[in-house]
Amino acid sequence: MGADTFSGARRRLVQGAAGFAAAAVGVTHAADTAAVGGSSNNTGAHGGLKDPRAGFPKPPFPEQSQEWPALASRMSPRPDHGEATYRGTGRLTGRKALITGGDSGIGRAVAIAYAREGADVAINYLPQEEPDATEVVRLIESAGRKAVRIPGDIRDEKFCERLVATAIKELGGLDILVNNAGRQQSHESILDISTEQFDWTFRTNVYAMFWITKAAIPRMPPGAAIINTSSVNATDPSENLLDYAATKATITNFTKGLAKQMAGRGIRVNAVAPGPFWTPLQVCGGQTMEKLKAFGGDTPMKRPGQPGEIAPLYVDLAAAEASYVTGQVFGASGGKGIP
Ligand code: NAD
Ligand code: MG
Protein backbone atom coordinates (compact mmCIF):
# COMPACT_ATOMS: atom_id res chain seq x y z
CA MET A 1 0.00 0.00 0.00
CA GLY A 2 2.65 2.49 1.06
CA ALA A 3 4.96 1.58 -1.79
CA ASP A 4 2.18 1.76 -4.37
CA THR A 5 1.08 5.13 -3.11
CA PHE A 6 4.61 6.42 -3.30
CA SER A 7 5.49 5.17 -6.76
CA GLY A 8 2.17 6.51 -8.03
CA ALA A 9 2.90 9.86 -6.50
CA ARG A 10 6.37 9.89 -8.03
CA ARG A 11 4.97 9.08 -11.46
CA ARG A 12 2.55 11.97 -11.19
CA LEU A 13 5.36 14.20 -9.99
CA VAL A 14 7.55 13.32 -12.95
CA GLN A 15 4.73 13.56 -15.44
CA GLY A 16 3.44 16.80 -14.01
CA ALA A 17 6.77 18.48 -13.68
CA ALA A 18 7.89 18.81 -17.28
CA GLY A 19 5.30 21.34 -18.42
CA PHE A 20 5.34 23.27 -15.17
CA ALA A 21 9.09 23.42 -15.24
CA ALA A 22 9.20 24.78 -18.74
CA ALA A 23 6.41 27.26 -18.11
CA ALA A 24 7.08 28.62 -14.68
CA VAL A 25 10.16 27.58 -12.85
CA GLY A 26 13.03 28.48 -15.12
CA VAL A 27 13.28 32.10 -14.08
CA THR A 28 12.96 31.38 -10.36
CA HIS A 29 15.61 28.74 -10.53
CA ALA A 30 18.08 30.91 -12.34
CA ALA A 31 17.61 33.50 -9.61
CA ASP A 32 17.95 30.89 -6.86
CA THR A 33 21.19 29.61 -8.28
CA ALA A 34 22.59 33.10 -8.32
CA ALA A 35 21.37 33.70 -4.77
CA VAL A 36 23.36 30.82 -3.37
CA GLY A 37 26.42 31.43 -5.43
CA GLY A 38 25.66 28.66 -7.92
CA SER A 39 25.39 25.21 -6.40
CA SER A 40 25.86 22.04 -8.43
CA ASN A 41 22.70 20.79 -10.08
CA ASN A 42 22.90 17.12 -9.48
CA THR A 43 19.62 16.52 -7.70
CA GLY A 44 15.99 16.83 -8.69
CA ALA A 45 15.57 14.67 -11.75
CA HIS A 46 11.92 15.68 -12.23
CA GLY A 47 11.07 15.72 -15.87
CA GLY A 48 13.97 13.59 -17.01
CA LEU A 49 16.14 10.56 -16.46
CA LYS A 50 19.06 10.98 -14.09
CA ASP A 51 21.84 8.49 -13.41
CA PRO A 52 22.37 8.37 -9.61
CA ARG A 53 26.03 7.53 -10.22
CA ALA A 54 26.82 10.55 -12.35
CA GLY A 55 27.77 14.06 -11.35
CA PHE A 56 27.61 13.68 -7.56
CA PRO A 57 30.62 14.45 -5.35
CA LYS A 58 32.47 11.33 -4.23
CA PRO A 59 35.21 10.71 -1.69
CA PRO A 60 37.99 11.48 -1.09
CA PHE A 61 36.77 14.83 0.27
CA PRO A 62 39.11 17.67 1.24
CA GLU A 63 40.06 17.92 4.90
CA GLN A 64 37.98 20.61 6.56
CA SER A 65 36.60 21.53 9.91
CA GLN A 66 34.49 24.37 11.22
CA GLU A 67 33.48 25.51 14.65
CA TRP A 68 30.09 24.15 15.74
CA PRO A 69 27.54 24.84 14.32
CA ALA A 70 29.06 24.78 10.85
CA LEU A 71 27.73 26.71 7.86
CA ALA A 72 26.76 24.97 4.60
CA SER A 73 28.04 28.04 2.75
CA ARG A 74 31.58 27.35 3.98
CA MET A 75 31.73 23.66 3.06
CA SER A 76 33.81 22.30 0.22
CA PRO A 77 32.16 21.09 -1.93
CA ARG A 78 29.00 22.98 -1.06
CA PRO A 79 26.08 20.65 -0.32
CA ASP A 80 23.41 20.50 -3.00
CA HIS A 81 20.05 21.20 -1.34
CA GLY A 82 18.19 21.21 -4.64
CA GLU A 83 18.46 25.00 -4.95
CA ALA A 84 18.87 24.86 -8.71
CA THR A 85 16.83 21.77 -9.41
CA TYR A 86 13.84 20.94 -7.19
CA ARG A 87 10.58 21.58 -9.02
CA GLY A 88 7.26 21.47 -7.23
CA THR A 89 3.89 20.44 -8.57
CA GLY A 90 1.61 21.96 -5.95
CA ARG A 91 1.51 18.92 -3.69
CA LEU A 92 1.53 21.03 -0.49
CA THR A 93 -0.49 24.00 -1.67
CA GLY A 94 -1.62 26.16 1.24
CA ARG A 95 0.11 24.01 3.86
CA LYS A 96 1.96 25.54 6.84
CA ALA A 97 5.22 23.96 7.94
CA LEU A 98 7.69 24.40 10.79
CA ILE A 99 11.14 22.88 10.19
CA THR A 100 13.81 22.81 12.89
CA GLY A 101 17.35 23.01 11.58
CA GLY A 102 15.87 24.52 8.42
CA ASP A 103 18.92 26.66 7.64
CA SER A 104 21.18 23.97 6.21
CA GLY A 105 21.54 20.35 5.18
CA ILE A 106 18.48 18.13 5.13
CA GLY A 107 16.26 20.77 6.76
CA ARG A 108 17.16 23.33 4.09
CA ALA A 109 16.45 20.85 1.30
CA VAL A 110 13.05 20.16 2.87
CA ALA A 111 12.32 23.89 3.23
CA ILE A 112 13.09 24.47 -0.46
CA ALA A 113 10.97 21.51 -1.56
CA TYR A 114 8.03 22.45 0.68
CA ALA A 115 8.02 26.06 -0.53
CA ARG A 116 8.14 24.97 -4.16
CA GLU A 117 5.27 22.55 -3.46
CA GLY A 118 3.21 25.52 -2.26
CA ALA A 119 3.70 25.62 1.54
CA ASP A 120 4.55 28.58 3.75
CA VAL A 121 7.58 27.67 5.84
CA ALA A 122 8.94 28.68 9.25
CA ILE A 123 12.51 27.68 10.01
CA ASN A 124 14.30 27.42 13.33
CA TYR A 125 18.09 27.47 13.64
CA LEU A 126 20.79 28.82 15.94
CA PRO A 127 21.62 32.55 15.86
CA GLN A 128 25.15 31.74 14.63
CA GLU A 129 23.59 30.24 11.49
CA GLU A 130 21.97 33.45 10.31
CA PRO A 131 23.98 33.57 7.02
CA ASP A 132 22.69 30.11 6.01
CA ALA A 133 19.17 30.98 7.18
CA THR A 134 19.16 34.16 5.09
CA GLU A 135 19.83 32.10 1.97
CA VAL A 136 16.93 29.80 2.81
CA VAL A 137 14.55 32.70 3.44
CA ARG A 138 15.44 34.10 0.00
CA LEU A 139 14.82 30.70 -1.59
CA ILE A 140 11.40 30.31 0.09
CA GLU A 141 10.37 33.81 -0.89
CA SER A 142 11.53 33.38 -4.46
CA ALA A 143 9.18 30.38 -4.64
CA GLY A 144 6.40 32.87 -3.86
CA ARG A 145 5.78 31.60 -0.31
CA LYS A 146 5.95 33.16 3.14
CA ALA A 147 9.17 32.54 5.06
CA VAL A 148 9.32 32.94 8.84
CA ARG A 149 12.65 32.91 10.64
CA ILE A 150 12.68 31.94 14.32
CA PRO A 151 16.25 31.61 15.61
CA GLY A 152 16.85 30.16 19.06
CA ASP A 153 18.23 27.27 21.08
CA ILE A 154 15.84 24.32 21.29
CA ARG A 155 17.60 22.89 24.35
CA ASP A 156 15.39 25.29 26.28
CA GLU A 157 11.81 24.12 26.89
CA LYS A 158 10.42 27.65 27.16
CA PHE A 159 12.00 28.56 23.84
CA CYS A 160 10.45 25.46 22.22
CA GLU A 161 7.01 26.60 23.38
CA ARG A 162 7.65 30.11 22.04
CA LEU A 163 8.93 28.65 18.76
CA VAL A 164 5.70 26.78 18.14
CA ALA A 165 3.52 29.71 19.25
CA THR A 166 5.41 32.12 16.97
CA ALA A 167 5.25 29.75 14.00
CA ILE A 168 1.48 29.34 14.45
CA LYS A 169 0.95 33.08 14.79
CA GLU A 170 3.09 33.99 11.77
CA LEU A 171 1.89 31.18 9.51
CA GLY A 172 -1.74 31.41 10.63
CA GLY A 173 -1.69 27.76 11.74
CA LEU A 174 0.49 24.67 11.56
CA ASP A 175 -0.12 21.39 9.72
CA ILE A 176 3.40 20.07 9.07
CA LEU A 177 6.03 19.74 11.79
CA VAL A 178 9.49 18.52 10.81
CA ASN A 179 11.66 17.75 13.85
CA ASN A 180 15.03 17.76 12.15
CA ALA A 181 17.58 19.71 14.22
CA GLY A 182 20.31 17.46 15.53
CA ARG A 183 23.49 17.29 17.58
CA GLN A 184 26.20 14.78 16.59
CA GLN A 185 29.73 14.71 17.98
CA SER A 186 32.20 11.89 17.45
CA HIS A 187 33.84 10.34 20.54
CA GLU A 188 36.14 7.37 20.26
CA SER A 189 35.20 5.98 23.67
CA ILE A 190 32.36 6.15 26.15
CA LEU A 191 35.07 7.36 28.54
CA ASP A 192 35.37 10.55 26.47
CA ILE A 193 31.67 11.44 26.68
CA SER A 194 31.01 13.86 29.52
CA THR A 195 27.64 14.10 31.20
CA GLU A 196 27.36 17.59 29.73
CA GLN A 197 27.94 16.26 26.22
CA PHE A 198 25.50 13.36 26.71
CA ASP A 199 22.89 15.78 28.03
CA TRP A 200 23.47 18.22 25.13
CA THR A 201 22.87 15.47 22.57
CA PHE A 202 19.73 14.21 24.30
CA ARG A 203 18.29 17.67 24.90
CA THR A 204 18.74 18.63 21.23
CA ASN A 205 17.65 15.37 19.61
CA VAL A 206 15.09 13.98 22.04
CA TYR A 207 13.85 16.50 24.61
CA ALA A 208 13.36 19.28 22.04
CA MET A 209 11.41 16.91 19.77
CA PHE A 210 9.21 16.06 22.77
CA TRP A 211 8.70 19.69 23.80
CA ILE A 212 8.04 21.01 20.29
CA THR A 213 5.70 18.15 19.40
CA LYS A 214 3.80 18.51 22.66
CA ALA A 215 3.33 22.23 22.08
CA ALA A 216 2.24 21.71 18.46
CA ILE A 217 -0.25 18.83 18.71
CA PRO A 218 -3.14 20.70 20.37
CA ARG A 219 -3.05 23.22 17.51
CA MET A 220 -2.62 20.77 14.60
CA PRO A 221 -5.75 19.92 12.58
CA PRO A 222 -6.76 16.46 11.31
CA GLY A 223 -4.70 15.78 8.18
CA ALA A 224 -1.57 17.29 9.73
CA ALA A 225 1.75 15.44 9.55
CA ILE A 226 4.69 15.17 11.93
CA ILE A 227 7.98 13.98 10.45
CA ASN A 228 10.96 13.21 12.66
CA THR A 229 14.53 12.74 11.47
CA SER A 230 16.05 9.50 12.71
CA SER A 231 19.15 7.82 11.22
CA VAL A 232 20.58 4.49 10.11
CA ASN A 233 22.36 4.81 13.47
CA ALA A 234 19.05 3.94 15.15
CA THR A 235 19.43 0.33 14.04
CA ASP A 236 23.18 0.08 13.33
CA PRO A 237 25.00 2.38 15.78
CA SER A 238 28.45 3.68 14.82
CA GLU A 239 30.96 2.93 17.55
CA ASN A 240 32.04 6.59 17.68
CA LEU A 241 28.49 7.95 17.99
CA LEU A 242 27.19 6.20 21.09
CA ASP A 243 25.06 9.01 22.54
CA TYR A 244 23.86 10.21 19.13
CA ALA A 245 22.86 6.73 17.98
CA ALA A 246 20.94 6.18 21.21
CA THR A 247 18.93 9.36 20.58
CA LYS A 248 18.11 8.19 17.06
CA ALA A 249 16.82 4.84 18.35
CA THR A 250 14.66 6.83 20.75
CA ILE A 251 13.32 8.99 17.91
CA THR A 252 12.34 5.92 15.89
CA ASN A 253 10.60 4.38 18.89
CA PHE A 254 8.86 7.65 19.84
CA THR A 255 7.64 8.05 16.27
CA LYS A 256 5.98 4.64 16.23
CA GLY A 257 4.35 5.07 19.64
CA LEU A 258 3.13 8.60 18.98
CA ALA A 259 1.67 7.52 15.63
CA LYS A 260 -0.59 5.06 17.46
CA GLN A 261 -1.76 7.81 19.81
CA MET A 262 -2.28 10.38 17.07
CA ALA A 263 -4.27 8.18 14.67
CA GLY A 264 -7.37 9.05 16.70
CA ARG A 265 -6.71 12.76 16.06
CA GLY A 266 -6.09 12.28 12.34
CA ILE A 267 -2.45 13.32 12.66
CA ARG A 268 0.13 11.10 10.94
CA VAL A 269 3.59 10.63 12.46
CA ASN A 270 6.51 9.17 10.51
CA ALA A 271 10.29 9.35 10.45
CA VAL A 272 13.01 9.52 7.84
CA ALA A 273 16.27 7.70 8.54
CA PRO A 274 19.12 9.08 6.42
CA GLY A 275 22.38 7.30 5.76
CA PRO A 276 25.46 9.47 5.12
CA PHE A 277 24.51 12.93 3.80
CA TRP A 278 26.95 15.71 2.97
CA THR A 279 25.93 18.38 5.52
CA PRO A 280 27.46 20.79 8.06
CA LEU A 281 26.80 18.31 10.88
CA GLN A 282 29.71 16.23 9.61
CA VAL A 283 32.36 18.98 9.48
CA CYS A 284 32.09 20.38 13.02
CA GLY A 285 32.92 17.33 15.11
CA GLY A 286 30.35 14.89 13.72
CA GLN A 287 33.03 12.65 12.19
CA THR A 288 36.68 11.94 12.62
CA MET A 289 38.78 13.52 9.84
CA GLU A 290 39.52 10.05 8.42
CA LYS A 291 35.82 9.20 8.21
CA LEU A 292 35.02 12.61 6.75
CA LYS A 293 37.53 12.24 3.92
CA ALA A 294 36.04 8.84 3.01
CA PHE A 295 32.45 9.91 3.76
CA GLY A 296 29.84 7.71 2.06
CA GLY A 297 32.48 5.62 0.31
CA ASP A 298 31.41 2.46 2.14
CA THR A 299 27.90 2.47 0.65
CA PRO A 300 27.02 0.58 -2.56
CA MET A 301 26.66 4.01 -4.21
CA LYS A 302 30.22 4.76 -3.05
CA ARG A 303 29.31 8.35 -2.17
CA PRO A 304 27.26 10.32 0.37
CA GLY A 305 23.81 11.60 -0.47
CA GLN A 306 23.24 15.28 -1.18
CA PRO A 307 20.47 16.84 0.95
CA GLY A 308 18.31 17.46 -2.11
CA GLU A 309 18.20 13.71 -2.70
CA ILE A 310 16.22 13.03 0.49
CA ALA A 311 13.76 15.96 0.43
CA PRO A 312 11.23 14.03 -1.73
CA LEU A 313 10.64 11.59 1.15
CA TYR A 314 9.64 14.48 3.43
CA VAL A 315 7.31 15.77 0.71
CA ASP A 316 5.69 12.36 0.28
CA LEU A 317 5.16 11.97 4.03
CA ALA A 318 3.61 15.42 4.41
CA ALA A 319 1.34 15.17 1.36
CA ALA A 320 -2.33 14.28 1.72
CA GLU A 321 -1.96 11.32 -0.68
CA ALA A 322 -0.03 9.39 2.00
CA SER A 323 -3.13 9.27 4.22
CA TYR A 324 -2.60 5.62 5.29
CA VAL A 325 1.11 6.03 5.99
CA THR A 326 1.82 6.48 9.69
CA GLY A 327 4.17 5.03 12.30
CA GLN A 328 6.76 4.17 9.65
CA VAL A 329 10.41 4.93 9.06
CA PHE A 330 11.73 5.53 5.53
CA GLY A 331 15.36 5.37 4.55
CA ALA A 332 17.70 6.90 2.00
CA SER A 333 21.16 5.51 2.49
CA GLY A 334 22.82 4.70 -0.81
CA GLY A 335 21.91 1.01 -0.54
CA LYS A 336 23.35 0.19 2.88
CA GLY A 337 21.65 -0.33 6.24
CA ILE A 338 18.03 -0.35 7.26
CA PRO A 339 15.92 2.58 8.43
P1 NAD B 1 22.87 20.29 9.62
O1 NAD B 1 24.01 20.69 10.46
O2 NAD B 1 22.68 21.01 8.36
O3 NAD B 1 21.51 20.42 10.44
C1 NAD B 1 21.43 20.29 11.82
C2 NAD B 1 20.76 21.55 12.35
O4 NAD B 1 20.43 21.35 13.72
C3 NAD B 1 21.65 22.79 12.31
O5 NAD B 1 21.53 23.46 11.10
C4 NAD B 1 21.10 23.59 13.48
O6 NAD B 1 20.26 24.63 13.00
C5 NAD B 1 20.24 22.62 14.26
N1 NAD B 1 20.59 22.62 15.68
C6 NAD B 1 21.54 21.91 16.32
N2 NAD B 1 21.55 22.19 17.62
C7 NAD B 1 20.55 23.11 17.82
C8 NAD B 1 20.05 23.78 18.97
N3 NAD B 1 20.56 23.57 20.18
N4 NAD B 1 19.04 24.67 18.80
C9 NAD B 1 18.51 24.89 17.57
N5 NAD B 1 18.94 24.26 16.46
C10 NAD B 1 19.94 23.38 16.60
O7 NAD B 1 23.02 18.73 9.39
P2 NAD B 1 22.00 17.62 8.81
O8 NAD B 1 22.85 16.45 8.55
O9 NAD B 1 21.15 18.16 7.74
O10 NAD B 1 21.12 17.27 10.07
C11 NAD B 1 19.71 17.23 10.05
C12 NAD B 1 19.22 15.97 10.72
O11 NAD B 1 19.60 14.85 9.95
C13 NAD B 1 19.79 15.73 12.12
O12 NAD B 1 18.74 15.29 12.98
C14 NAD B 1 20.76 14.61 11.89
O13 NAD B 1 20.95 13.81 13.04
C15 NAD B 1 20.06 13.85 10.79
N6 NAD B 1 20.92 12.90 10.08
C16 NAD B 1 21.94 13.36 9.32
C17 NAD B 1 22.74 12.45 8.66
C18 NAD B 1 23.91 12.90 7.81
O14 NAD B 1 24.69 12.05 7.38
N7 NAD B 1 24.05 14.19 7.53
C19 NAD B 1 22.51 11.08 8.78
C20 NAD B 1 21.46 10.65 9.57
C21 NAD B 1 20.65 11.58 10.20
MG1 MG C 1 22.95 24.67 10.04
Side-chain angles (χ1 to χ4, degrees):
M1 174 75 188
D4 287 350
T5 308
F6 275 39
S7 58
R10 287 230 173 76
R11 251 192 325 275
R12 282 195 300 282
L13 189 65
V14 170
Q15 285 161 356
F20 184 77
V25 185
V27 174
T28 306
H29 281 248
D32 291 348
T33 310
V36 296
S39 70
S40 60
N41 60 349
N42 301 319
T43 56
H46 311 332
L49 191 63
K50 171 77 188 158
D51 185 342
R53 301 169 302 181
F56 294 92
K58 291 185 167 60
F61 291 104
E63 282 194 19
Q64 59 200 289
S65 70
Q66 296 183 37
E67 252 177 55
W68 179 90
L71 294 178
S73 48
R74 290 185 43 216
M75 286 177 69
S76 170
R78 276 192 66 155
D80 183 349
H81 307 89
E83 287 92 341
T85 49
Y86 190 90
R87 288 171 189 155
T89 55
R91 297 187 66 206
L92 303 176
T93 301
R95 300 287 297 272
K96 302 165 193 306
L98 168 61
I99 305 170
T100 64
D103 60 301
S104 60
I106 293 167
R108 179 196 290 215
V110 176
I112 293 169
Y114 279 7
R116 291 184 187 170
E117 295 291 357
D120 292 334
V121 183
I123 58 168
N124 161 252
Y125 50 92
L126 287 158
Q128 304 94 299
E129 298 174 301
E130 200 62 54
D132 274 358
T134 296
E135 290 184 354
V136 178
V137 165
R138 290 220 303 257
L139 288 156
I140 295 168
E141 288 175 347
S142 65
R145 307 310 311 180
K146 180 167 185 176
V148 180
R149 50 172 103 203
I150 315 174
D153 192 328
I154 59 172
R155 285 175 294 170
D156 175 14
E157 181 174 5
K158 289 285 164 239
F159 172 73
C160 288
E161 290 168 2
R162 278 205 308 282
L163 167 64
V164 172
T166 308
I168 290 170
K169 182 162 164 274
E170 295 292 322
L171 295 171
L174 183 68
D175 55 50
I176 306 173
L177 170 62
V178 179
N179 286 306
N180 167 75
R183 165 86 175 169
Q184 174 189 321
Q185 291 287 299
S186 171
H187 294 99
E188 201 174 311
S189 162
I190 184 175
L191 304 180
D192 303 328
I193 304 176
S194 66
T195 299
E196 189 205 3
Q197 194 56 239
F198 192 81
D199 193 54
W200 188 337
T201 309
F202 269 79
R203 285 181 89 84
T204 312
N205 300 4
V206 176
Y207 279 70
M209 171 185 68
F210 168 66
W211 291 324
I212 292 167
T213 303
K214 197 173 156 189
I217 280 170
R219 307 289 304 275
M220 295 183 97
I226 298 171
I227 304 164
N228 298 323
T229 303
S230 183
S231 166
V232 288
N233 270 283
T235 46
D236 184 16
S238 299
E239 62 181 320
N240 62 319
L241 297 174
L242 217 50
D243 53 343
Y244 172 82
T247 65
K248 293 297 171 178
T250 305
I251 291 168
T252 288
N253 186 284
F254 182 84
T255 299
K256 290 172 186 253
L258 186 65
K260 291 177 183 163
Q261 253 187 43
M262 288 299 113
R265 281 185 180 251
I267 300 174
R268 296 180 299 103
V269 189
N270 291 286
V272 173
F277 276 78
W278 186 247
T279 70
L281 197 74
Q282 309 298 348
V283 301
C284 56
Q287 296 294 342
T288 63
M289 195 55 76
E290 286 319 298
K291 285 198 175 195
L292 183 70
K293 284 194 288 188
F295 197 58
D298 61 347
T299 66
M301 291 266 195
K302 302 206 174 352
R303 64 171 179 86
Q306 293 297 319
E309 295 182 272
I310 199 167
L313 285 180
Y314 289 80
V315 173
D316 280 336
L317 291 172
E321 290 87 348
S323 43
Y324 198 60
V325 182
T326 195
Q328 305 299 316
V329 185
F330 296 83
S333 56
K336 193 183 173 207
I338 51 169

